[in-house]
Amino acid sequence: MDAVAYPQMVYGSLLSLYHHLDLPSILLLEKAILQRNIRNYSESLAIFDAFPASTAVKPAVVLEHTWTLIAQYRFREARGVAEQGLLRCCTTIHDDDDYGPATLLRALLAGLDTLMDGGTSRCLESLQEINDWLGTVPAIEFTDVQVWAVNLYYYLPTLLQSGTDTSQFNDIPLIPADSTSSGITILRKHLQRAGRLNEALFLLDTEMALLPSKDAEIAAMESIRSFCIEPSTQPLTYIEGSVALKLALLYAELGDDEGYREEMFNAAAALSVPKDSEFSSNLLRTDTWLARLELARAGGEGPGAEAWEGFADYAAKVGDYRIEAKALTEALETMISPDSEEAEDVSPENRERLRERLDGLYARLGSSFHRSVTRRRGGSGGEARRPVQEVGARRGVVMYGQQSALRSLQA
C-alpha cells in the first residue's frame, strides 16, 4: 500500500498488515485503536463489531480487536475473536506475512488460556515458537509484527500466578538476538530513532517490568518523550500525554508529590478535551484517580477499602473492567491484609460481599481460574496475594506483582 493511503495521524502499530484493508477500513480501524487507547472501550468495540465479516477477519483487525478485549478483561470474547481469526489467517492468507499474524494469535490464545483457566502449556509452546522465529534477528531488523511478538514473549510469563513454579521458564533465551539484560531497551531506542514511536510506546510497559530500578523506568519514559518532535505522522500529543500519565503514577507510587503534580499538569495539557467537543476520553480521569489513590498510599494515609471500592464503581460505570478488577482487589486486600489497620474492623460479611463481587465480575468475563484464586484469599487471616489477573494502569496489560517470571528469563 502506498504511504499516501494512510490516514494523516496513525495510532496503530501494525501498519505492515494494513495492505489487506481498503482506506475506509483503515480509517475505522485507526479510530477504534484511538478509542481503546483513551479507555473509551464501548466506542472502540462498537466499531469492531460493525466491521463486515470479510473485514473483521483480516489480521490487523483481528489482532487489534483481540487486544482491545483483553485490555478490557473480556477474556471469553477475546478468545472467540482470536480463534476465528487464527482459523481464517491459516486458511485464507498465503502471502509472506501469514506466519507472523498466526504466531501472534497463538500467543494471545496461550495467554488467554492462562487468564481464563490457569493453563501454562500453550504459553511454553508460544515462547518456543517466538524464540525459534526471532532468536537470531537483531533489533535493527525487527518489523512491526515482530515487535508485537517480542512484547508477547515477555508478557506471557507475567501471567503465571505468583507462587507457581516458574523454573520451566529459566532457560528461555533473551530476544532480540543482540540482547543483554537491556535487549528490550535496545529495541525501543531503535524504534524511537526510526520514528516508530507508537511501537516504542507499545513496548514501554514491558520494558519497565524488566528494568532494575524506578530511576531506570523514569529514564526510559523520558527517553521516548524526547523523540516527540514535529513533523511526524505519529500522534505526538497522545504519546506525550500517555508518558506523562505513566510518570505521574510512578511519582505517586514513590510519594513524590512535586513530580506527580508536574506530570499531571503535562498530561492534562496534552490530553484534555475541550468542553464543547463531541470527543471524550476516560483516560485522563481514570489515571488521575488511580494516581491520587497511589499517592495517598505512599503517604501512609490509606486509601481504605471504601475509597478503592468507589474507584471500582466508577470503573464499572465506564466499562473499564480491568480497572474495576484492580480496584476491587485492592479493596479486598485492604480488608484482609495483616498489615492493614482496617482489617480488624471489617466484618466477615463485608469481606464476603466484596469477594463475591470480584468473583462475579470474573465469572462474567470468563475466568474460572481467577475465582479459584480469590476464593483462597478471602477468609479471616487470608493470604494477601494479588491474583494473577490484577493489572495496573501504568503497566498497561502487564501484571502487577507478577514480574519474577519475567526476571527469571535473564538468569
Side-chain angles (χ1 to χ4, degrees):
M1 172 175 287
D2 295 335
V4 294
Y6 289 116
Q8 185 175 4
M9 192 66 66
V10 178
Y11 290 86
S13 56
L14 289 171
L15 302 191
S16 69
L17 300 181
Y18 281 14
H19 68 87
H20 294 297
L21 304 170
D22 58 22
L23 181 57
S25 297
I26 291 174
L27 295 174
L28 282 174
L29 178 59
E30 283 290 319
K31 184 176 180 180
I33 293 168
L34 171 59
Q35 294 294 329
R36 176 194 67 208
N37 289 351
I38 60 176
R39 299 185 187 278
N40 292 352
Y41 293 117
S42 296
E43 292 86 343
S44 178
L45 291 172
I47 295 171
F48 282 114
D49 291 343
F51 274 121
S54 59
T55 304
V57 295
K58 300 299 186 183
V61 177
V62 170
L63 287 163
E64 296 288 7
H65 192 182
T66 302
W67 196 248
T68 300
L69 289 165
I70 291 174
Q72 201 188 7
Y73 267 30
R74 294 168 71 162
F75 305 131
R76 184 182 296 109
E77 293 170 76
R79 176 184 275 176
V81 170
E83 286 176 342
Q84 286 298 313
L86 182 60
L87 179 64
R88 293 296 298 270
C89 182
C90 291
T91 58
T92 66
I93 300 173
H94 303 289
D95 54 23
D96 291 340
D97 61 4
D98 181 18
Y99 182 77
T103 300
L104 297 183
L105 287 168
R106 281 190 287 269
L108 288 169
L109 285 167
L112 286 164
D113 272 4
T114 300
L115 287 166
M116 297 176 70
D117 309 314
T120 61
S121 60
R122 288 182 73 175
C123 281
L124 284 167
E125 292 171 2
S126 282
L127 289 168
Q128 187 62 59
E129 179 180 10
I130 293 171
N131 185 65
D132 289 345
W133 178 28
L134 302 178
T136 60
V137 180
I140 196 171
E141 296 180 11
F142 269 67
T143 66
D144 51 8
V145 173
Q146 290 169 337
V147 169
W148 263 61
V150 170
N151 191 67
L152 291 171
Y153 185 79
Y154 289 108
Y155 166 65
L156 291 179
T158 69
L159 300 181
L160 295 175
Q161 179 189 351
S162 180
T164 298
D165 177 14
T166 59
S167 59
Q168 56 194 328
F169 292 89
N170 288 345
D171 295 329
I172 297 174
L174 291 169
I175 53 176
D178 46 355
S179 293
T180 61
S181 60
S182 60
I184 293 296
T185 301
I186 292 172
L187 180 55
R188 191 255 306 157
K189 288 182 176 179
H190 162 68
L191 294 171
Q192 290 173 181
R193 289 192 296 270
R196 296 161 63 180
L197 297 180
N198 283 332
E199 295 168 72
L201 184 65
F202 184 68
L203 276 182
L204 187 59
D205 290 323
T206 300
E207 179 188 357
M208 289 196 300
L210 290 165
L211 292 173
S213 69
K214 299 297 185 184
D215 287 343
E217 293 183 32
I218 292 171
M221 288 186 275
E222 292 287 8
S223 176
I224 191 172
R225 185 157 60 178
S226 71
F227 279 82
C228 291
I229 302 171
E230 297 285 2
S232 174
T233 60
Q234 306 283 281
L236 301 184
T237 300
Y238 164 72
I239 293 171
E240 289 175 319
S242 296
V243 171
L245 280 177
K246 293 174 188 292
L247 281 165
L249 184 53
L250 177 56
Y251 284 129
E253 292 172 354
L254 294 171
D256 183 342
D257 185 71
E258 182 179 353
Y260 156 76
R261 291 181 183 278
E262 179 181 350
E263 292 302 340
M264 271 301 172
F265 177 84
N266 293 335
L271 298 173
S272 291
V273 177
K275 292 183 179 179
D276 60 351
S277 173
E278 296 181 1
F279 183 72
S280 64
S281 170
N282 293 318
L283 175 62
L284 187 60
R285 183 180 182 188
T286 300
D287 282 20
T288 299
W289 195 331
L290 177 60
R292 287 173 178 166
L293 291 171
E294 293 290 2
L295 189 65
R297 172 155 55 189
E301 301 173 1
E306 184 177 354
W308 281 113
E309 190 168 8
F311 187 35
D313 292 341
Y314 156 77
K317 183 178 180 180
V318 300
D320 196 332
Y321 306 127
R322 176 166 61 90
I323 291 296
E324 183 185 2
K326 172 182 171 54
L328 289 175
T329 299
E330 295 284 4
L332 182 59
E333 193 165 277
T334 300
M335 289 183 176
I336 68 177
S337 172
D339 299 325
S340 171
E341 296 180 2
E342 187 176 341
E344 295 181 1
D345 300 326
V346 176
S347 68
E349 292 79 14
N350 205 23
R351 280 196 297 266
E352 182 64 20
R353 175 192 61 80
L354 197 61
R355 188 172 62 246
E356 287 180 355
R357 177 177 172 182
L358 186 57
D359 280 353
L361 173 63
Y362 275 97
R364 294 195 304 274
L365 299 174
S367 178
S368 60
F369 177 58
H370 174 84
R371 298 200 300 280
S372 70
V373 173
T374 57
R375 189 55 49 181
R376 294 197 298 271
R377 299 175 67 247
S380 176
E383 183 183 6
R385 180 176 62 198
R386 297 176 188 269
V388 61
Q389 291 91 344
E390 183 196 343
V391 178
R394 177 166 61 87
R395 297 195 184 283
V397 290
V398 176
M399 306 295 108
Y400 261 62
Q402 303 297 326
Q403 296 165 20
S404 59
L406 261 175
R407 297 189 188 284
S408 74
L409 294 177
Q410 301 181 48

